[in-house]
Amino acid sequence: MCIRARDWGVAAAAGDGGKAASLAANASVAGTPTYMAPERARGEGSRVGPASDVYLLGGILYETVTGLRPHHGENALSCLMAAAENRIQSTAESGELLDIALHAMAADPGDRYESVKAFQEAIRAFRKHAESVRLTRRAQGDLERARETAEYDDFAKAMFAFRDALDLWSENADAVEGMEGVALAYAQFALEQGDLDLALSLL
């Protein structure tokens, strides 16, 4: 069975180009195979660099999302082979956060996030998207309530919630659709109340 520990104890100085300037012979394949980048597992010291760290972080995120260690094997050697070939345990999970982890664990270092900072930014964007989704669901509930109560404040509350969701993530399709829906419902309600100015402003 693969060792589970996440080992940050193996370090190499990186040159100006971001690649490891030198690695001790006995350290070129050192590390924890469970989370190891393919280039590290294959002992390709010249390819080890910041992208290898991005891979490791992606592996930790992968386990956080799925509960599975990225590389698996019956023993350390088979686990190392899985890492070298970038064979990642399959999962039924899906979603944006998993996509971020898989992007960070691309087989080719050049296909990963260009830096740890870029990886962090992707997670921050996910958090904004997740908050936008939460606000959208709340707004959908507010709209349903407004249709039941037929109150100005309830329609306005739903509209503001959809707008806040779009401010966080302008490409939130559900929020875009919800914004159109609440504007139409609010305008129809305003027309029924004889409030033509409000209805026109909404439409």
Side-chain angles (χ1 to χ4, degrees), residues 89-169:
Q89 288 203 75
S90 60
T91 177
E93 298 290 336
S94 62
E96 185 180 359
L97 198 56
L98 180 61
D99 291 342
I100 291 171
L102 292 173
H103 185 177
M105 291 191 295
D108 188 332
D111 292 334
R112 300 171 199 159
Y113 292 102
E114 62 183 16
S115 65
V116 170
K117 182 177 181 180
F119 174 77
Q120 292 172 326
E121 287 299 326
I123 294 177
R124 290 191 185 99
F126 161 77
R127 293 179 66 182
K128 287 184 179 180
H129 295 177
E131 177 64 10
S132 178
V133 169
R134 187 190 69 78
L135 286 171
T136 299
R137 289 174 180 163
R138 192 186 80 184
Q140 290 166 339
D142 291 339
L143 178 55
E144 290 302 315
R145 189 177 307 107
R147 285 171 171 154
E148 294 174 1
T149 64
E151 293 287 344
Y152 276 100
D153 287 347
D154 289 334
F155 278 108
K157 183 178 179 181
M159 178 165 280
F160 288 139
F162 278 123
R163 187 172 296 155
D164 287 344
L166 286 170
D167 285 343
L168 285 172
W169 182 22

Side-chain angles (χ1 to χ4, degrees), residues 12-13 38 40 45 47 70 73 77 79 82 86 88 98 108-109 135 147 157 163 169 174 177 179 185 199:
R40 169 73 82 173
R47 301 189 72 196
L77 181 59
C79 193
N86 203 36
I88 298 170
L98 180 61
D108 188 332
L135 286 171
R147 285 171 171 154
K157 183 178 179 181
R163 187 172 296 155
W169 182 22
D174 288 338
E177 182 180 349
M179 192 67 178

Side-chain angles (χ1 to χ4, degrees), residues 23-103:
L23 286 170
N26 64 352
S28 60
V29 193
T32 305
T34 297
Y35 309 94
M36 192 182 290
E39 63 273 13
R40 169 73 82 173
R42 291 193 294 263
E44 299 171 346
S46 62
R47 301 189 72 196
V48 173
S52 306
D53 293 336
V54 170
Y55 189 100
L56 176 55
L57 290 170
I60 293 171
L61 179 60
Y62 185 86
E63 184 178 14
T64 301
V65 174
T66 67
L68 300 171
R69 288 164 285 172
H71 308 309
H72 176 71
E74 294 303 317
N75 51 51
L77 181 59
S78 61
C79 193
L80 185 64
M81 290 300 296
E85 297 171 5
N86 203 36
R87 282 187 276 112
I88 298 170
Q89 288 203 75
S90 60
T91 177
E93 298 290 336
S94 62
E96 185 180 359
L97 198 56
L98 180 61
D99 291 342
I100 291 171
L102 292 173
H103 185 177

